[in-house]
Amino acid sequence: MIGRKDYYHAPDAPKPNSIVPAASAVVLNHDGKILLHKRKDNALWSLPGGAMELGESIEETIIREVKEETGLDIKVKN
């Protein structure tokens, strides 16, 4: 596993050096349960999502990321 450290309000966190537009999806099943996946980089559970690619819309990013991380085809609802 690749080492990753998440900083939550830590005063000793390193200064940010980039901005990465990203999106996450709340995917619900028919019972209203939320889909989570276990991340490989830090072994924590999270919503599926990730960074946008050049030229993508937020909707396209969400659809692609959910497919990549879960194998599911989804439809975005507003």
Side-chain angles (χ1 to χ4, degrees):
M1 177 172 35
I2 298 172
R4 173 185 163 133
K5 182 170 183 177
D6 293 314
Y7 295 91
Y8 297 101
H9 309 291
D12 61 335
K15 297 283 183 212
N17 59 13
S18 63
I19 296 173
V20 179
S24 294
V26 176
V27 180
L28 303 174
N29 69 7
H30 295 293
D31 296 326
K33 294 180 181 175
I34 296 173
L35 173 71
L36 298 176
H37 75 110
K38 194 167 188 179
R39 297 179 59 95
K40 290 183 180 182
D41 58 0
N42 62 13
L44 298 175
W45 290 94
S46 70
L47 297 170
M52 292 179 75
E53 293 182 356
L54 285 175
E56 268 187 334
S57 68
I58 288 289
E59 184 173 316
E60 291 167 331
T61 301
I62 291 168
I63 292 168
R64 178 183 52 76
E65 285 290 340
V66 171
K67 179 70 171 182
E68 286 177 4
E69 295 179 1
T70 70
L72 297 174
D73 293 309
I74 63 161
K75 190 182 276 188
V76 175
K77 291 185 177 183
N78 295 334

